Each structure stands twice: as structure tokens, then as C-alpha cells.
Amino acid sequence: MKKYLVPTLSAALLSFAVLQAAPVYAGMHKPHHKEGKCIIEQISNMKKELKLTSDQTMKLDAMKAKGRDFMRKTHDEMRQVHEASEMLAHEKDIDMKKLDALAEKAGHIEGDKVKHRVMVMHEIEQILTPEQYKMLEHDKKKMRKHMHKHG
């Protein structure tokens, strides 16, 4: 009994961590905010308010396409981690090296997502005028306040 306890708990912990860290796989995408819109979609919806130029719109559209490709890639990578962790959890003896490698891979994927978000926000700040960026930030704060009220 004791010899199965540590591997079983480790597999359960990894599965839980993967489920909490990346709920993107298996068609269960849970947006980071209720509307499920990325920041670029939020900007697109505010096009009239922000008075975006055609150059700004073109740059933001290119960023949106690039971001979509990035999210597809990370979604696929996390699905592979999840599938491998599920298979590992059902093995008679859990290979701890494989388990550690899966946990490390999941961490790298999540880290890449954080870096991507920071870079996108930085690039958006470079594209928008200071006034437009201020309007966007105001709208984001308003949305967060609304989410906390109803979330």
C-alpha cells in the first residue's frame, strides 16, 4: 500500500496542477475574463471610441493573427501534456522522471504564455497613442470592477 502512495499522490498532484494551470485543453477554454476577449479584441470593439487609424488597425490585426497562432500552439502543447499525464497516472509504476519532465514542460508553456502577454501589452502600448492607451486602461479597470461584482 505504502509503495503506491507516493506515485499515486504525485500523479494526482500533477493532474490537478495541469488542470488548474491550463484549462485550455479538451475544448474547455476558460477565458481569463467573462467576455472571453483578448485585449486586442477589446481594442477592436472600442475602435470607434479609440479612433484607431488604419495603420493602427492593420498592426493590431497582425498581432491578433500572430496571437491566435501562438495560443493554438500552446493549446496543443498543453493537451499533449495532459494526455501524457493521464497515461502516466494509469501505469502500474509511475516513472518519476517522466512525471517531473511533464510538470516542467507545463511550467514552461505557462511561462511562455506570461511572456507572450507581457510582450503583447508592450507592443499595444507602442501602437496606441497615450490618450488611446489611457482610454483602454480605463475600460479594462471598469471591466475588472464589473467582473468582481458579478464574478
Side-chain angles (χ1 to χ4, degrees):
M1 175 72 176
K2 287 183 181 180
K3 91 177 193 181
Y4 295 110
L5 186 58
V6 171
T8 303
L9 287 175
S10 297
L13 183 61
L14 174 67
S15 294
F16 178 76
V18 168
L19 288 172
Q20 292 301 309
V24 177
Y25 55 84
M28 296 172 46
H29 177 66
K30 294 179 183 177
H32 58 278
H33 46 82
K34 281 190 178 184
E35 287 77 17
K37 297 175 187 151
C38 73
I39 188 70
I40 297 172
E41 288 177 19
Q42 182 184 356
I43 292 170
S44 294
N45 291 339
M46 295 179 66
K47 229 180 219 181
K48 288 180 184 176
E49 299 158 59
L50 294 174
K51 298 177 182 157
L52 297 175
T53 66
S54 58
D55 184 52
Q56 287 174 318
T57 302
M58 184 180 68
K59 288 177 181 176
L60 292 167
D61 287 345
M63 285 179 64
K64 187 175 180 180
K66 187 176 165 185
R68 192 178 303 121
D69 292 342
F70 173 80
M71 288 310 292
R72 276 192 194 114
K73 182 181 101 105
T74 57
H75 171 85
D76 291 342
E77 290 172 349
M78 281 308 295
R79 184 174 52 245
Q80 291 169 4
V81 169
H82 174 68
E83 289 169 357
S85 67
E86 284 291 318
M87 288 174 33
L88 191 60
H90 296 293
E91 289 182 8
K92 183 179 177 188
D93 294 319
I94 294 177
D95 181 343
M96 293 306 289
K97 287 184 180 180
K98 283 183 184 178
L99 183 58
D100 289 341
L102 287 172
E104 188 173 328
K105 184 174 182 181
H108 284 295
I109 294 167
E110 288 302 313
D112 287 346
K113 287 169 63 175
V114 169
K115 288 189 268 187
H116 175 77
R117 177 157 171 64
V118 169
M119 296 304 294
V120 165
M121 291 303 298
H122 179 75
E123 197 170 338
I124 287 170
E125 193 169 358
Q126 304 303 308
I127 292 171
L128 299 179
T129 66
E131 296 80 21
Q132 290 170 323
Y133 193 76
K134 189 175 180 180
M135 287 175 68
L136 176 65
E137 286 298 308
H138 176 73
D139 190 68
K140 281 178 15 183
K141 287 177 186 173
K142 195 168 66 174
M143 192 181 334
R144 278 190 205 114
K145 188 175 181 182
H146 177 75
M147 287 185 327
H148 289 294
K149 195 161 124 181
H150 294 94

